[in-house]
Amino acid sequence: MTLNRAWQTAASSVLLFLGLSACSADPSPSTAAPSDAVCVARDGASLAPRSGALAGVNLDWEQETLQEYGKNLGRSPAVVVSFASFPLGTDAKANLEAAFEQVRTEGGILLLTLEPRAGLAAVTSQVTDDLATTLDRYNRAGVPVIVRFAHEMNGSWYAWGQQPDAYKAAFRRVAESIHRLAPGSATMWAPNYGGGYPFAGGQHQSGPKSRDFLDLDTNKDGTITGDDDPYAPYYPGDEAVDWVGMSLYHWGNTYPWGANVVPEEGKFLQQLTGTYNGAGGNDLAVPDFYAEYGAERGKPVAVPETAALSIPGTGGAKELAIKQAWWRQLFDPRIPEDYPQLKMVNWFEWNKHEVEVDAVVDWRSIGTSPVAEAFTADLPEWFRFADQPQPCVPGS
């Protein structure tokens, strides 16, 4: 039941931060206090917490700064998502520098989502080396980075979608550069939830004449359907992947989406583990993502984007009932013990028009006082937030 993520493409073009201009990571000698310690770069391979899960956010940077969000939440998120077109152009570089500066000030990990809009062939080794050099500078200034390259590559709505061979090659180039030049950073492989695969009708849907058809036809029946594996053809390999993740939203319970309805009990974990068979359809052919890519491979699992649909003024279930039912599934007290590889959950904190339902959807968890109060009250003890960063001088 996956839908076109057109809003994500738009997100990368609106990372214009309120009241903050892009600036260098290296302070001038006159602004650095003599007593400041040298920043220590964390090991990119050890960014997952030993217990619990990192609590993160996808911010609408035009409407809210990281500082404002943290004040409203009452704590600083452990992960902050930023989108950028890739290779990085002038605007993308400026926005990325601004995101880095906010995270450097407020604390946490920067989750950088790279969108290769010019095509996967543009992701050359020189481009990935340049990226890694920038990330290493961020790491040496105290900001760890996780790079989510070409997310939702199993979807049909992005220019990099449903091209497994080219995608895996490009991902490996990104990973090789990061692991060699930015050891304080890590990679994340993050397809979309496989329910509804192969997502027929998208602009970039793979057809029977495509070069990748044989790889995508995993059951070798001559067609690409929901019976084919929506994840395995796109996996770049254990050496290239540090984190695994999956976009997972509650868009409603039945097609066509857009109704304000409370999520079915257990829906989140059922979709994460390939056991969902409910109002949204029979998805039992979808593999157990958590087991196959997290537990069996020893990779930390992330939900880099999640939220529950609520359309104001259209009737149906109340906003709080919908969102609380969803986040309480994310906060399930069984998760730390039964699903210990789940190490990151990031809420999509946007109020925006969605083309899939032709309406403004309020996805936010702390957008209104009653919802914010309930959300903060329900936050589980096993969620990990950012520590206040200590002033330091970037290392050389």
Side-chain angles (χ1 to χ4, degrees):
M1 74 178 206
T2 304
L3 305 172
N4 187 332
R5 297 293 194 265
W7 48 262
Q8 289 178 324
T9 300
S12 62
S13 67
V14 295
L15 290 175
L16 304 175
F17 302 97
L18 297 175
L20 180 66
S21 60
C23 55
S24 170
D26 298 312
S28 65
S30 62
T31 61
S35 60
D36 284 349
V38 175
C39 302
V40 177
R42 294 174 60 183
D43 180 4
S46 303
L47 298 180
R50 292 184 179 181
S51 62
L54 301 173
V57 65
N58 283 261
L59 275 183
D60 181 351
W61 295 96
E62 279 198 324
Q63 303 301 321
E64 191 173 25
T65 66
L66 181 56
Q67 183 181 40
E68 290 169 340
Y69 173 81
K71 182 178 180 180
N72 291 333
L73 185 67
R75 63 211 85 186
S76 296
V79 181
V80 185
V81 180
S82 179
F83 288 79
S85 59
F86 190 68
L88 299 173
T90 301
D91 289 345
K93 287 179 180 179
N95 289 336
L96 180 56
E97 289 291 325
F100 154 68
E101 288 293 347
Q102 288 208 29
V103 176
R104 183 184 179 192
T105 300
E106 300 300 319
I109 296 170
L110 176 63
L111 177 57
L112 174 60
T113 298
L114 297 176
E115 300 184 306
R117 300 183 201 167
L120 293 166
V123 184
T124 65
S125 295
Q126 182 60 57
V127 165
T128 60
D129 277 0
D130 290 345
L131 169 72
T133 300
T134 297
L135 300 185
D136 185 55
R137 172 165 58 87
Y138 294 172
N139 301 157
R140 293 176 184 274
V143 177
V145 182
I146 299 174
V147 174
R148 181 175 60 150
F149 173 72
H151 64 302
E152 299 176 7
M153 78 303 298
N154 58 338
S156 62
W157 43 85
Y158 285 136
W160 56 88
Q162 300 196 356
Q163 305 166 56
D165 286 345
Y167 166 78
K168 289 185 288 188
F171 190 103
R172 289 166 185 155
R173 286 193 290 275
V174 172
E176 193 281 331
S177 294
I178 289 174
H179 292 157
R180 174 168 48 88
L181 298 174
S185 295
T187 63
M188 178 183 289
W189 174 71
N192 200 78
Y193 171 60
Y197 186 79
F199 313 117
Q203 181 180 356
H204 302 284
Q205 179 183 358
S206 178
K209 295 183 180 180
S210 73
R211 57 178 295 184
D212 294 307
F213 179 83
L214 292 178
D215 289 335
L216 297 179
D217 181 18
T218 59
N219 64 2
K220 307 306 177 187
D221 67 351
T223 61
I224 302 173
T225 69
D227 292 328
D228 292 298
D229 194 318
Y231 309 133
Y234 308 93
Y235 188 65
D238 290 345
E239 291 187 2
V241 174
D242 299 315
W243 285 72
V244 298
M246 185 166 68
S247 300
L248 190 52
Y249 287 82
H250 170 68
W251 282 86
N253 287 341
T254 56
Y255 184 85
W257 319 113
N260 289 329
V261 293
V262 174
E264 301 159 276
E265 185 177 353
K267 182 179 180 180
F268 166 68
L269 284 175
Q270 289 167 13
Q271 292 183 326
L272 185 65
T273 59
T275 58
Y276 178 74
N277 181 10
N282 183 342
D283 292 345
L284 295 180
V286 177
D288 184 338
F289 185 88
Y290 176 87
E292 293 191 18
Y293 296 98
E296 294 178 10
R297 298 174 186 272
K299 304 291 184 182
V301 176
V303 182
E305 302 178 27
T306 191
L309 178 144
S310 175
I311 301 178
T314 59
K318 300 297 185 182
E319 176 189 11
L320 178 56
I322 295 169
K323 295 178 179 179
Q324 189 169 52
W326 186 245
W327 74 53
R328 283 183 171 175
Q329 294 188 33
L330 304 174
F331 302 166
D332 191 324
R334 299 175 300 163
I335 287 177
E337 182 174 352
D338 295 348
Y339 303 92
Q341 291 300 114
L342 183 58
K343 297 294 186 181
M344 181 192 298
V345 177
N346 302 333
W347 194 271
F348 187 68
E349 196 71 14
W350 282 66
N351 180 38
K352 66 182 296 291
H353 184 271
E354 298 291 359
V355 296
E356 294 85 358
V357 295
D358 192 24
V360 173
V361 179
D362 188 345
W363 298 104
R364 298 172 299 172
S365 62
I366 58 171
T368 61
S369 295
V371 175
E373 291 171 3
F375 182 77
T376 54
D378 283 347
L379 286 169
E381 293 183 358
W382 51 274
F383 261 27
R384 305 289 177 249
F385 294 90
D387 295 325
Q388 181 64 35
Q390 299 300 313
C392 62
V393 177
S396 59

